[in-house]
Amino acid sequence: MSTKSTNIWIRRQQCTCGDWKCYIKYEGDDQLSVSSQQIKTETTSASSSLEAVFTPYVGQIFKSDDEAFEYYSNFARKNGFSIRKARSTESQNLGIYRRDFVCYRSGFNQPRKKANVEHPRDRKSVRCGCDAKLYLTKEIVDGVTQWYVSQFSNVHNHELLEDDQVRLLPAYRKIQEADQERILLLSKAGFPVNRIVKVLELEKGVQPGQLPFIEKDVRNFVRTCKKTVQENDALLTEKRENDTLELLEACKSMVERDVDFVYDYTTDENDKVENIAWSYGDSVRAYSLFGDVVTFDTTYRSITYGLLLGVWFGMDNHGETISFGCVLLQDESSQSFIWALQTFVRFMRGRFPQTILTDIDSGLRDGIAREFPNTKHVICIWHILSKLSSWFSPPLGSQYEEFKAEFDMLCHLEGVEDFEHQWNILVARFGLVSDKHIALLSSYRASWPFSYIRGYFLARTMTVEFSQSLETFLKRILSGQTCLQVFFEQVGAAANFGNLTREGMQYMHTKTCMPIEEHARSILTPYAFRVIQHEIELSMQYATTEMANGSYLVRHYKKMDGEYLVIWMPEDEQIHCSCKEFEHSGILCRHSLRVLSIKNYFQLPEKYLLLRWRLESSLIPIEDHNAQSSSDECAQAFHSLAATLLTESLISKERFNYVHRELTGILDNVRNMPVIDEFAVNMAANNVSEP
């Protein structure tokens, strides 16, 4: 009988620091792999076994038979023996109404028929007819079920054990979950059982033979796990082969529905599907517009098959996440990543991205360096921040929060020299000079701190909004998937831009009345316009000082940030700012806008209105400019009416209270009105009469 998986994707991966013992657990993870779930065992905490346990007595009442067994077991351990469950008595009306618990040496072993072997083992039994026991009987009092001790004897016919001996009885030799994980890791690394036991003794600081379990228990545990893993591997291999074949067939059938759909795959020596990648026609077309910056997310892995999922993303001119393609890889080797990168570029008709954002991965880094030699490689800061707790909380303890705050500050420093200086101070202050994760971050530092990547074009993919959009997109295509074919269909639906709906052209009112703002509004999408509008507003807070060479020194009037050097070259209308915001996002900064303003620019130079941020580049149709004109007329009419109303209402308190009361009611009524269609604003504009 199979159980339905609620989600076949997890985000718990082996760390790239090179230590096979180190695993990354992302914040918010609540799922573990199938194998780890199968090796978990129910254990009784050490604290509960040390609680005061008094001698059981006839008439003692327990809420359940399990509670009574735990109580008697704790009593037995403290008194030098262990117990086991004997017979139980059942009736049709009451179910099980009697439980017998006895000493582990109760009764006698029945002689068994010896196997037909040359040298049969003749193991001596520990049972000697001990009569120590505790019998339970169930009763129902006022509709509540309870169990009471009907018989109890603590008379033993054998010697009771001391504490250092009783702990070695099979009933008390439990391997805790943390020890289980450690044993499995050491076993996978090739350690023999006797060596594993010695390592655990050294790590726990105990004398030889003082572990709560013996070498035999470790050997049995490793043997059981290996058998379980082998059985599961066989089942998963068969299911993976069937599912990947179904996925391949889905790709083949998609070609008939989408002539621009592309896919490719590799096979192993047994002609089984090994790696598979695909991309939709809409995705290829979107890449031609927005393929300048690509995010390659490889943080999800299928717990059903162990396959690595790689998803290619981008950002459109409305700031939304768009999918470029998917790949499923057998492993995280450089060879697999190289195939994925080569295939992706081939899907995208040979065009390479300007910048690629990824997680930290040495195999992926090597593949990008080889296949994308002219592409800037950036490690997404969100991936690094999600690992900080897993990496540094254990060694730093109470100092971790302080470390995290300073690390976040370092990420946003603008100067490379400042970063290097502060980084060395941080590492020394928290005693992390020899830490393997600090070494890993240092080796990648040309790819993640803002001071190093500020000149790379990222199209605002490093903003909090895009990170949230990307996370939402991933959860939508990954949630509740139980097979690869369903996942394929879900990705296809997300990649079909015909399914997208844009809200009607929203009115984007100006805030400064500057012609340069009006010009930007007529060309850019609402998303891009809001960004540059914010920069235009802030630009008015900056003072400029012209330098001898024609450049300008720009600083905030309150000196809230540093000085920035803006170089203006009128011959070919070029403007460059030391903050490098345009190079970073494709939208002019407040410092450059300030200089353009004092140069009497009423329109932005064409080269600084990138095609990727323009309305004309939208993936789905946008209402024509008549919608914007109608919105303008509507807004102007309302502004005029509102200005007159404000002037009249301020004449007296009575007028003001009346206007405020009526407007509040009107606003509530408007909010509760149903939206008939997305062109309501335009229709309203045509029916507005002059006040």
Side-chain angles (χ1 to χ4, degrees), residues 141-184:
V141 180
D142 297 330
V144 179
T145 301
Q146 62 184 23
W147 295 77
Y148 68 92
V149 179
S150 55
Q151 291 187 52
F152 174 69
S153 172
N154 197 33
V155 178
H156 299 264
N157 64 353
H158 56 89
E159 182 181 358
L160 298 178
L161 304 176
E162 297 295 332
D163 185 61
D164 63 336
Q165 296 175 312
V166 73
R167 69 180 182 82
L168 297 176
L169 291 175
Y172 305 127
R173 297 201 310 261
K174 302 291 185 182
I175 303 179
Q176 300 293 329
E177 184 179 335
D179 292 331
Q180 289 180 6
E181 293 184 0
R182 190 75 175 117
I183 289 169
L184 285 179

Coordinates of all heavy atoms in Angstrom, one line a residue, residues 141-184:
V141 N -15.1 3.8 34.3 CA -15.7 4.5 35.4 C -16.3 5.8 34.9 O -15.6 6.7 34.4 CB -14.7 4.8 36.5 CG1 -15.4 5.5 37.7 CG2 -14.1 3.5 37.0
D142 N -17.6 6.0 35.0 CA -18.3 7.2 34.5 C -18.0 7.5 33.1 O -17.8 8.6 32.7 CB -18.0 8.4 35.4 CG -18.4 8.2 36.8 OD1 -19.4 7.5 37.0 OD2 -17.7 8.8 37.7
G143 N -17.9 6.4 32.3 CA -17.6 6.5 30.8 C -16.2 6.8 30.5 O -15.9 6.9 29.3
V144 N -15.3 6.8 31.5 CA -13.9 7.0 31.2 C -13.1 5.7 31.4 O -13.3 5.0 32.5 CB -13.3 8.1 32.2 CG1 -11.8 8.3 31.9 CG2 -14.1 9.4 32.0
T145 N -12.3 5.3 30.4 CA -11.5 4.1 30.5 C -10.3 4.3 31.3 O -9.6 5.3 31.1 CB -11.2 3.6 29.1 OG1 -12.4 3.4 28.3 CG2 -10.3 2.3 29.1
Q146 N -10.0 3.4 32.2 CA -8.7 3.4 33.0 C -8.2 2.0 33.2 O -9.0 1.1 33.1 CB -8.9 4.2 34.3 CG -9.9 3.6 35.2 CD -10.1 4.4 36.5 OE1 -9.9 5.6 36.5 NE2 -10.6 3.8 37.5
W147 N -7.0 1.9 33.6 CA -6.4 0.6 33.9 C -5.8 0.6 35.3 O -5.2 1.6 35.8 CB -5.2 0.3 33.0 CG -5.6 0.2 31.5 CD1 -5.9 1.2 30.7 CD2 -5.7 -1.0 30.8 NE1 -6.3 0.7 29.4 CE2 -6.1 -0.7 29.5 CE3 -5.5 -2.4 31.1 CZ2 -6.3 -1.6 28.5 CZ3 -5.7 -3.3 30.1 CH2 -6.1 -2.9 28.8
Y148 N -6.1 -0.5 36.1 CA -5.6 -0.6 37.5 C -4.8 -1.8 37.6 O -4.9 -2.8 36.9 CB -6.7 -0.5 38.5 CG -7.6 -1.7 38.5 CD1 -7.4 -2.8 39.3 CD2 -8.8 -1.8 37.6 CE1 -8.2 -3.9 39.3 CE2 -9.6 -2.9 37.6 CZ -9.3 -4.0 38.5 OH -10.1 -5.1 38.5
V149 N -3.8 -1.8 38.6 CA -2.9 -2.9 38.8 C -3.7 -4.0 39.7 O -4.1 -3.7 40.8 CB -1.7 -2.5 39.6 CG1 -0.8 -3.7 39.9 CG2 -0.9 -1.4 38.8
S150 N -3.9 -5.1 39.0 CA -4.7 -6.2 39.7 C -3.8 -7.1 40.5 O -4.2 -7.7 41.5 CB -5.6 -6.9 38.7 OG -4.8 -7.4 37.7
Q151 N -2.6 -7.3 40.0 CA -1.6 -8.2 40.6 C -0.2 -7.6 40.5 O 0.1 -7.0 39.4 CB -1.6 -9.6 40.1 CG -2.8 -10.4 40.3 CD -2.7 -11.9 39.9 OE1 -1.7 -12.5 40.2 NE2 -3.6 -12.3 39.1
F152 N 0.6 -7.7 41.5 CA 2.0 -7.2 41.4 C 2.9 -8.0 42.3 O 2.5 -8.4 43.5 CB 2.1 -5.7 41.9 CG 3.5 -5.2 41.9 CD1 4.2 -5.1 40.8 CD2 4.1 -5.0 43.2 CE1 5.5 -4.6 40.8 CE2 5.4 -4.6 43.2 CZ 6.1 -4.4 42.1
S153 N 4.0 -8.4 41.8 CA 5.0 -9.2 42.6 C 6.4 -8.7 42.1 O 6.7 -8.5 40.9 CB 4.9 -10.7 42.3 OG 6.0 -11.3 42.9
N154 N 7.2 -8.4 43.1 CA 8.6 -8.0 42.9 C 9.6 -8.9 43.4 O 10.7 -8.6 43.8 CB 8.8 -6.6 43.4 CG 10.0 -5.9 42.8 OD1 10.3 -6.1 41.6 ND2 10.8 -5.1 43.6
V155 N 9.2 -10.2 43.5 CA 10.1 -11.3 44.0 C 10.8 -11.9 42.8 O 10.1 -12.5 41.9 CB 9.3 -12.3 44.8 CG1 10.2 -13.4 45.3 CG2 8.6 -11.7 45.9
H156 N 12.1 -11.9 42.8 CA 12.9 -12.4 41.7 C 13.7 -13.7 42.2 O 14.1 -13.7 43.3 CB 13.9 -11.4 41.1 CG 13.2 -10.2 40.6 ND1 13.0 -10.0 39.2 CD2 12.8 -9.0 41.2 CE1 12.4 -8.8 39.1 NE2 12.3 -8.2 40.2
N157 N 13.9 -14.6 41.3 CA 14.7 -15.8 41.6 C 16.1 -15.8 41.0 O 16.7 -16.8 40.8 CB 14.0 -17.1 41.2 CG 13.8 -17.2 39.7 OD1 14.1 -16.3 39.0 ND2 13.3 -18.3 39.3
H158 N 16.5 -14.5 40.7 CA 17.8 -14.4 40.0 C 18.4 -13.1 40.6 O 17.8 -12.3 41.2 CB 17.7 -14.3 38.5 CG 16.7 -13.2 38.1 ND1 17.1 -11.9 37.8 CD2 15.4 -13.2 37.8 CE1 16.1 -11.2 37.5 NE2 15.0 -12.0 37.4
E159 N 19.7 -12.9 40.3 CA 20.4 -11.7 40.8 C 20.0 -10.5 40.0 O 19.9 -10.6 38.8 CB 21.9 -12.0 40.7 CG 22.8 -10.8 41.2 CD 24.2 -11.1 41.1 OE1 24.6 -12.2 40.6 OE2 25.0 -10.2 41.5
L160 N 19.8 -9.4 40.7 CA 19.5 -8.2 40.0 C 20.8 -7.5 39.6 O 21.8 -7.6 40.3 CB 18.6 -7.3 40.9 CG 17.2 -7.8 41.3 CD1 16.5 -6.9 42.2 CD2 16.4 -8.1 40.0
L161 N 20.8 -6.7 38.6 CA 22.0 -6.1 38.0 C 22.3 -4.7 38.5 O 21.3 -4.0 38.9 CB 21.9 -6.1 36.5 CG 21.6 -7.4 35.8 CD1 21.4 -7.2 34.3 CD2 22.7 -8.4 36.0
E162 N 23.6 -4.4 38.6 CA 23.9 -3.0 38.9 C 23.7 -2.1 37.7 O 23.5 -2.6 36.6 CB 25.4 -3.0 39.3 CG 25.8 -3.8 40.5 CD 25.1 -3.2 41.8 OE1 24.8 -2.0 41.8 OE2 24.8 -4.0 42.7
D163 N 23.7 -0.8 38.0 CA 23.4 0.1 36.9 C 24.3 0.0 35.7 O 23.8 0.1 34.5 CB 23.4 1.6 37.5 CG 23.0 2.6 36.4 OD1 21.8 2.5 36.0 OD2 23.7 3.4 36.0
D164 N 25.6 -0.2 35.8 CA 26.5 -0.3 34.7 C 26.2 -1.6 33.9 O 26.8 -1.8 32.8 CB 27.9 -0.2 35.1 CG 28.3 -1.3 36.1 OD1 27.4 -1.9 36.7 OD2 29.5 -1.6 36.1
Q165 N 25.5 -2.6 34.5 CA 25.2 -3.8 33.8 C 23.7 -3.8 33.2 O 23.5 -4.3 32.1 CB 25.3 -5.0 34.8 CG 26.7 -5.2 35.3 CD 26.7 -6.3 36.4 OE1 25.9 -6.3 37.3 NE2 27.6 -7.3 36.2
V166 N 22.8 -3.2 34.0 CA 21.4 -3.2 33.5 C 21.3 -2.4 32.2 O 20.4 -2.6 31.4 CB 20.5 -2.6 34.6 CG1 20.6 -1.1 34.8 CG2 19.0 -3.0 34.3
R167 N 22.1 -1.4 32.0 CA 22.0 -0.5 30.8 C 22.4 -1.3 29.6 O 22.0 -0.9 28.5 CB 23.0 0.6 30.9 CG 24.5 0.3 30.9 CD 25.4 1.5 31.0 NE 26.8 1.1 30.9 CZ 27.4 0.9 29.8 NH1 26.8 1.1 28.6 NH2 28.7 0.6 29.8
L168 N 23.0 -2.5 29.7 CA 23.4 -3.3 28.6 C 22.3 -4.3 28.2 O 22.5 -5.1 27.2 CB 24.7 -4.0 28.8 CG 25.9 -3.1 29.0 CD1 27.1 -3.9 29.4 CD2 26.1 -2.3 27.8
L169 N 21.2 -4.4 29.0 CA 20.1 -5.3 28.6 C 19.5 -4.8 27.3 O 19.4 -3.6 27.0 CB 19.1 -5.3 29.7 CG 19.5 -6.0 31.0 CD1 18.4 -5.8 32.1 CD2 19.8 -7.5 30.8
P170 N 19.1 -5.7 26.4 CA 18.5 -5.3 25.1 C 17.4 -4.3 25.2 O 17.3 -3.4 24.3 CB 18.0 -6.6 24.5 CG 18.9 -7.7 25.2 CD 19.1 -7.2 26.6
A171 N 16.6 -4.3 26.2 CA 15.5 -3.4 26.3 C 15.9 -2.0 26.5 O 15.2 -1.0 26.2 CB 14.6 -3.8 27.5
Y172 N 17.1 -1.7 27.0 CA 17.6 -0.4 27.3 C 18.7 0.1 26.3 O 19.2 1.2 26.4 CB 18.1 -0.3 28.7 CG 17.1 -0.7 29.7 CD1 17.4 -1.7 30.7 CD2 15.8 -0.2 29.7 CE1 16.5 -2.1 31.6 CE2 14.9 -0.6 30.7 CZ 15.2 -1.6 31.6 OH 14.3 -2.0 32.5
R173 N 19.1 -0.7 25.4 CA 20.1 -0.4 24.4 C 19.5 0.3 23.2 O 19.2 -0.3 22.2 CB 20.9 -1.6 24.0 CG 21.7 -2.3 25.1 CD 22.9 -3.1 24.6 NE 22.5 -4.0 23.5 CZ 22.3 -5.3 23.7 NH1 22.3 -5.8 24.9 NH2 22.0 -6.0 22.6
K174 N 19.2 1.6 23.4 CA 18.5 2.4 22.3 C 19.6 3.3 21.7 O 20.3 4.0 22.3 CB 17.4 3.2 22.9 CG 16.3 2.4 23.6 CD 15.5 1.6 22.6 CE 14.3 0.9 23.4 NZ 13.6 0.1 22.4
I175 N 19.5 3.3 20.3 CA 20.4 4.2 19.6 C 19.6 5.5 19.3 O 18.6 5.4 18.5 CB 20.9 3.6 18.3 CG1 21.7 2.3 18.6 CG2 21.8 4.6 17.5 CD1 22.2 1.6 17.3
Q176 N 19.9 6.6 19.9 CA 19.1 7.8 19.7 C 19.3 8.3 18.3 O 20.2 7.9 17.5 CB 19.6 8.9 20.7 CG 19.5 8.6 22.1 CD 18.1 8.5 22.6 OE1 17.2 9.1 22.1 NE2 17.9 7.6 23.6
E177 N 18.3 9.1 17.8 CA 18.2 9.6 16.5 C 19.5 10.3 16.0 O 20.0 10.1 14.9 CB 17.0 10.5 16.3 CG 16.8 10.9 14.8 CD 15.6 11.8 14.6 OE1 14.7 11.7 15.5 OE2 15.6 12.6 13.7
A178 N 20.0 11.2 16.9 CA 21.3 11.9 16.5 C 22.4 10.9 16.3 O 23.2 11.1 15.4 CB 21.6 12.9 17.6
D179 N 22.5 9.9 17.1 CA 23.5 8.9 16.9 C 23.3 8.0 15.7 O 24.2 7.6 15.0 CB 23.6 7.9 18.1 CG 24.1 8.6 19.4 OD1 24.9 9.6 19.2 OD2 23.7 8.3 20.5
Q180 N 22.0 7.8 15.3 CA 21.7 7.1 14.1 C 22.2 7.8 12.9 O 22.8 7.2 12.0 CB 20.2 6.9 14.0 CG 19.6 5.9 15.0 CD 18.1 5.8 14.8 OE1 17.5 6.4 13.9 NE2 17.4 5.1 15.7
E181 N 22.0 9.1 12.8 CA 22.4 9.9 11.7 C 24.0 9.9 11.6 O 24.5 9.8 10.5 CB 21.9 11.3 11.8 CG 20.4 11.5 11.7 CD 19.9 12.9 11.7 OE1 20.8 13.8 11.8 OE2 18.7 13.1 11.6
R182 N 24.6 10.0 12.7 CA 26.1 10.0 12.8 C 26.6 8.6 12.3 O 27.6 8.6 11.5 CB 26.6 10.3 14.2 CG 28.1 10.6 14.2 CD 28.4 11.9 13.7 NE 29.8 12.2 13.9 CZ 30.6 12.4 12.8 NH1 30.2 12.4 11.6 NH2 31.9 12.7 13.1
I183 N 26.0 7.6 12.8 CA 26.4 6.2 12.4 C 26.3 6.1 10.9 O 27.2 5.5 10.2 CB 25.6 5.2 13.1 CG1 26.0 5.2 14.6 CG2 25.8 3.8 12.5 CD1 25.1 4.3 15.5
L184 N 25.2 6.5 10.3 CA 25.0 6.4 8.9 C 26.0 7.2 8.1 O 26.5 6.7 7.0 CB 23.5 6.8 8.5 CG 22.4 5.8 8.9 CD1 21.1 6.4 8.5 CD2 22.6 4.5 8.2

